[in-house]
């Protein structure tokens, strides 16, 4: 009888707490650069993802937060993750970075060397995992949409995308392979081999179709996390 009464007392306090925790929406932070910064604007991929959730009566189950800053590279994410990610106590973080680490090598000579890219990325993952935050990794989608690999940064972009795939595999984390998704889409929809205006406005930043594709690919992974 004493044991039963003790169980009732524990249940009285713990069951409402567990129920409250289960009722809380899953807080998702999208951590990235200008592509993610634009994701919270009308038509952006984060907004589109919210609209998709609403249509499925799931909007109350998720809290979507954009944490993108234009021009950011992997080390910028590392330097601001305490304030922009950890302090907000997310359940899930989706990392979408790499374009500027590659693009700025050619445009301004300030890109990120491959070894430094991997080390900073691993440092970010270590901090997130130490905080018991679920993480998904995205490959950088495009710097030019030509499908014959004649875009100037295709070689580096493929290399950095593979490094991210390897990091996902090494750490047992879900991968959102936007690099592959964009190439597959362009192979079907870019018969003229144009460098932009299929999924991007300027070879990098997303148009409506690009934002929708990113939202679709992210949801495929997010719903299983």
């Amino acid at each position: 009888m004493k044991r039963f009464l003790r169980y009732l007392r524990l249940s009285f306090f713990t069951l409402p707490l567990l129920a409250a925790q289960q009722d809380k929406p899953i807080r998702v932070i999208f951590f990235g650069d200008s592509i993610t910064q634009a994701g919270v604007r009308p038509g952006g991929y984060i907004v589109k993802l919210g609209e998709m959730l609403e249509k499925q009566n799931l909007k109350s189950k998720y809290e979507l937060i954009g944490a993108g800053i234009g021009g950011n590279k992997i080390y910028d994410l590392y330097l601001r993750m305490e304030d922009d990610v950890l302090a907000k106590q997310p359940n899930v973080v989706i990392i979408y970075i790499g374009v500027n680490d590659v693009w700025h090598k050619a445009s301004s000579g300030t890109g990120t060397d491959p070894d430094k890219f991997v080390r900073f990325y691993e440092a970010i993952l270590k901090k997130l995992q130490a905080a018991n935050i679920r993480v998904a990794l995205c490959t950088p989608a495009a710097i030019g949409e030509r499908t014959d690999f004649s875009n100037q940064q295709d070689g580096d972009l493929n290399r950095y995308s593979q490094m991210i795939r390897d990091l996902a595999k090494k750490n047992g984390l879900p991968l959102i392979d936007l690099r592959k998704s964009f190439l597959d889409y362009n192979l079907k929809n870019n018969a003229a081999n144009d460098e932009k205006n299929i999924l991007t406005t300027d070879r990098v930043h997303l148009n409506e179709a690009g934002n929708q594709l990113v939202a679709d690919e992210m949801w495929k992974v997010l719903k299983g996390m």
Side-chain angles (χ1 to χ4, degrees):
M1 179 61 73
K2 287 182 180 179
R3 187 176 297 174
F4 178 68
L5 290 173
R6 183 184 175 197
Y7 171 77
L8 285 178
R9 285 197 297 270
L10 287 172
S11 298
F12 179 79
F13 289 107
T14 59
L15 290 178
L17 178 61
L18 288 171
Q21 289 174 340
Q22 290 170 353
D23 288 340
K24 279 187 174 182
I26 298 169
R27 180 173 292 171
V28 185
I29 290 183
F30 300 85
F31 198 26
D33 52 31
S34 58
I35 298 170
T36 296
Q37 188 175 33
V40 298
R41 297 172 189 157
Y45 76 84
I46 298 171
V47 172
K48 285 185 175 294
L49 187 50
E51 293 168 350
M52 291 164 61
L53 292 172
E54 189 167 18
K55 288 178 182 177
Q56 299 176 54
N57 294 317
L58 293 172
K59 194 166 185 179
S60 63
K61 302 292 185 183
Y62 292 88
E63 180 185 3
L64 309 181
I65 301 172
I69 294 180
N72 267 197
K73 306 177 187 68
I74 189 68
Y75 56 81
D76 296 301
L77 266 55
Y78 177 78
L79 292 173
R80 65 182 178 90
M81 67 180 302
E82 291 287 344
D83 291 337
D84 291 358
V85 177
L86 296 175
K88 296 177 181 177
Q89 299 182 318
N91 304 104
V92 176
V93 171
I94 297 179
I95 304 173
Y96 183 7
I97 198 70
V99 165
N100 293 321
D101 298 272
V102 171
W103 193 13
H104 289 185
K105 285 184 178 185
S107 64
S108 58
T110 60
T112 309
D113 292 336
D115 60 331
K116 291 184 177 66
F117 184 84
V118 170
R119 286 206 298 268
F120 274 109
Y121 215 125
E122 287 179 329
I124 290 171
L125 294 179
K126 186 176 181 180
K127 283 197 172 189
L128 294 174
Q129 290 173 317
N132 295 316
I133 297 168
R134 287 166 276 169
V135 189
L137 280 53
C138 300
T139 53
I143 307 174
E145 298 192 65
R146 295 191 181 110
T147 59
D148 60 356
F149 298 107
S150 63
N151 306 291
Q152 182 184 0
Q153 283 90 16
D154 274 340
D156 262 352
L157 204 59
N158 289 336
R159 182 181 182 184
Y160 283 60
S161 293
Q162 188 57 50
M163 290 190 295
I164 293 170
R165 294 182 190 113
D166 292 343
L167 283 167
K169 184 176 181 180
K170 177 182 175 181
N171 290 277
L173 299 173
L175 176 73
I176 304 165
D177 200 343
L178 298 177
R179 179 69 176 152
K180 183 180 184 301
S181 299
F182 271 53
L183 179 58
D184 290 347
Y185 186 97
N186 270 285
L187 285 169
K188 294 177 182 177
N189 298 281
N190 188 7
N193 201 35
D194 291 329
E195 67 172 0
K196 60 183 180 178
N197 295 326
I198 310 302
L199 293 167
T200 73
T201 59
D202 58 358
R203 303 186 306 126
V204 172
H205 298 95
L206 308 178
N207 62 16
E208 184 176 357
N211 277 297
Q212 187 62 60
L213 180 59
V214 169
D216 290 339
E217 293 302 309
M218 286 191 174
W219 177 237
K220 287 177 186 178
V221 170
L222 179 60
K223 65 184 178 183
M225 294 181 71

